[in-house]
Structure formats: structure tokens, C-alpha cells
Amino acid sequence: MTEQITVTGMVLSTMPIGDYDKRLTILTIQKGKISAFARGAKRPNSPLLGCSQPFCFGEFTLYEGHSSYGVARAEIRNYFGELRSELNAVSYGLYFCEFAQVMTEEENDAKAVLKLLYQSLRALSKKTIPMTLIRRIYELKLLYLEGQGPQVLECVHCKTKNDLTAFSVRHGGTFCSRCLSNAGTIKRIGESTLYTLQFICITPIEKLYSFTVKEEVLQELSSLIEDYQKEYVEYKLKSLDMLELLEDGKMIL
């Protein structure tokens, strides 16, 4: 009899396979990111129909095949159904899932990323802070968790923690006023924007979505993070196209 294991995780994406099956990408506590086949999940009466959608979080009982896992059954704790009824929210959620998928490796430790994703979807559901701010917090924190975040706690040149006034994408972080001649192309950053960057960097995940910022700070923060991602994230995310249309107000709902 095939040995089964139970993992806790969230479905990041699904792909139809043949007429009735789906291949799920699941981010799990125990195994990191994995692929698993849900046999018959496209049939209307399938017990796997409900669990084979993005955002589904719960316990998945798996059996191991020759080259991948199969889903035997699932007990879903949270479907994040409130996200699915609103185009803006679901677009952000799908983008968060895709970003997590491309930033994590197969079967590597991803507990912190899963926690960040879960808390970010909860923040989208609660609607207590702007979705654009949730996006920027998520992007920056995910980059840090995966070891690709910018240096914002000290000057990348002289290592001082004081008088940080500018950001260099090429050098990957902040510069103090004394070292600007070594930075090349820079963007000046305001004190509130610097504090926001540092707060996101050092704050535990469960306390991340506890603040808001002025519009000018959000704009500056967005510009810095976008430029940084263009330089250091090699993937073009499919879900980003729709999200940017929504944020720019170019999509008519």
C-alpha cells in the first residue's frame, strides 16, 4: 500500500491535465513548494473539486508517485472566499500566489513565506489598509525572506546607520549623505519612506499589516520597490498585467 503523508499548505496555482485532472502547486510547511496531481478534480462530483483552487489553505493528504505527489484528500480550513467575489482583491491575491511560486524552490523550507502569504491574504480580506500598500509590504518582505532584499538598515558603502538619504538600485540599498559620490544614479528618499522600508524589513510577519502611510510616502515606496524588482527579479509575472491595469484605472469593471 502506498504510504501517505499529511502536509499543511496553500494552493498557489492549478493547471488542467487532460479532461478531468489538475496539477496543483502547493506551498507547504513540511515540504516547501511541491507539485501534486488531483485526479478527477475537474469532475463536478469530485471530492477534490473544492480544494483544487488557488487560496485554498488546509491539510492535504498525499501519496508519493514516481515523480510527483498525488492528492488523496484534503481538509480545507480557509478558502478565502471573500477574495473571490471582488476583482481587485482576487487580482492581488493571484499575484501574491504567483510571486511566492516563482520566488521559492521545490521542497525547500518555505514556512516563513507561507506565513507571509497567509497574513497578506487576510489583510486583503480585512480591507483595513490600502491594497496597494499591502502589495508593497508583501513584495519587499518576500524579497527579504528569500535573501534578495535591499540593504536599508545601513549605508551600503560605509556601513553607517545614520543619515541615510538616498537609494541606489544598482548597489542594492541605501547611501548616507557622505557617500553619495560613490553611488552613481540614486533616488533621494524621505525620512518617512526610509522608516517604512526599515519597519517592513525588521518587523515580524504577524505585525506587518498594522500601519498606513501618507499617499506621497506610498508613491515613493512603490517607485523604489518597482525599480528594485525590475533589476533583481528575473521573472515577468502573468498576473501582474491585470493588476497594473486595475491600479492604473485602465480596466473597466
Side-chain angles (χ1 to χ4, degrees), residues 38-123:
R39 307 292 181 187
K42 293 169 66 178
R43 296 180 185 274
N45 59 347
S46 170
L48 301 180
L49 178 64
C51 74
S52 56
Q53 303 175 51
F55 313 147
C56 288
F57 176 84
E59 292 187 345
F60 297 82
T61 300
L62 310 174
Y63 57 89
E64 192 165 2
H66 293 295
S67 59
S68 66
Y69 295 97
V71 181
R73 58 186 177 276
E75 182 178 340
I76 302 303
R77 301 178 191 170
N78 195 340
Y79 289 92
F80 288 97
E82 60 274 19
L83 298 184
R84 303 174 192 275
S85 61
E86 184 183 340
L87 181 58
N88 283 28
V90 77
S91 297
Y92 278 96
L94 290 173
Y95 169 64
F96 291 177
C97 286
E98 187 182 6
F99 199 14
Q101 184 167 337
V102 301
M103 291 296 292
T104 52
E105 300 290 339
E106 293 284 344
E107 302 208 28
N108 280 3
D109 185 0
K111 290 190 288 292
V113 176
L114 178 59
K115 184 176 183 180
L116 173 65
L117 177 59
Y118 188 89
Q119 293 297 334
S120 301
L121 295 184
R122 285 191 63 198

Side-chain angles (χ1 to χ4, degrees), residues 3-251:
E3 184 178 356
Q4 295 185 343
I5 61 170
T6 299
V7 297
T8 300
M10 181 181 294
V11 177
L12 300 180
S13 66
T14 70
M15 177 181 291
I17 302 293
D19 292 332
Y20 303 111
D21 305 335
K22 285 186 177 182
R23 185 176 69 189
L24 315 182
T25 301
I26 309 172
L27 193 64
T28 73
I29 293 174
Q30 295 84 354
K31 294 284 186 177
K33 184 177 69 177
I34 62 171
S35 294
F37 285 91
R39 307 292 181 187
K42 293 169 66 178
R43 296 180 185 274
N45 59 347
S46 170
L48 301 180
L49 178 64
C51 74
S52 56
Q53 303 175 51
F55 313 147
C56 288
F57 176 84
E59 292 187 345
F60 297 82
T61 300
L62 310 174
Y63 57 89
E64 192 165 2
H66 293 295
S67 59
S68 66
Y69 295 97
V71 181
R73 58 186 177 276
E75 182 178 340
I76 302 303
R77 301 178 191 170
N78 195 340
Y79 289 92
F80 288 97
E82 60 274 19
L83 298 184
R84 303 174 192 275
S85 61
E86 184 183 340
L87 181 58
N88 283 28
V90 77
S91 297
Y92 278 96
L94 290 173
Y95 169 64
F96 291 177
C97 286
E98 187 182 6
F99 199 14
Q101 184 167 337
V102 301
M103 291 296 292
T104 52
E105 300 290 339
E106 293 284 344
E107 302 208 28
N108 280 3
D109 185 0
K111 290 190 288 292
V113 176
L114 178 59
K115 184 176 183 180
L116 173 65
L117 177 59
Y118 188 89
Q119 293 297 334
S120 301
L121 295 184
R122 285 191 63 198
L124 288 176
S125 301
K126 291 180 178 179
K127 303 178 182 179
T128 55
I129 65 175
M131 290 184 182
T132 305
L133 178 57
I134 297 171
R135 170 187 173 181
R136 301 311 179 185
I137 294 171
Y138 176 79
E139 290 170 332
L140 184 57
K141 193 67 170 182
L142 179 53
L143 288 167
Y144 270 106
L145 292 177
E146 290 301 301
Q148 298 186 42
Q151 173 56 267
V152 297
L153 299 178
E154 62 185 24
C155 174
V156 298
H157 185 70
C158 73
K159 307 306 180 185
T160 183
K161 293 178 172 58
N162 303 315
D163 196 25
L164 303 177
T165 60
F167 186 93
S168 168
V169 171
R170 184 168 69 88
H171 291 280
T174 49
F175 275 77
C176 70
S177 59
R178 295 190 303 275
C179 295
L180 294 183
S181 61
N182 300 289
T185 302
I186 62 167
K187 280 191 174 183
R188 293 281 184 172
I189 54 174
E191 184 177 348
S192 295
T193 303
L194 175 64
Y195 176 80
T196 303
L197 289 167
Q198 293 175 336
F199 181 86
I200 296 169
C201 169
I202 64 177
T203 299
I205 292 170
E206 60 272 14
K207 297 181 180 179
L208 272 177
Y209 298 108
S210 59
F211 72 97
T212 188
V213 295
K214 294 181 179 179
E215 182 60 29
E216 58 266 29
V217 175
L218 180 55
Q219 290 179 1
E220 190 174 28
L221 183 71
S222 296
S223 178
L224 286 175
I225 295 175
E226 281 185 11
D227 289 347
Y228 187 85
Q229 283 185 260
K230 288 176 183 177
E231 181 73 19
Y232 294 101
V233 178
E234 58 182 299
Y235 306 99
K236 174 62 176 176
L237 305 184
K238 296 177 182 179
S239 56
L240 191 54
D241 292 335
M242 176 179 286
L243 182 59
E244 289 179 342
L245 286 174
L246 286 168
E247 288 188 336
D248 294 340
K250 295 178 181 178
M251 179 173 286

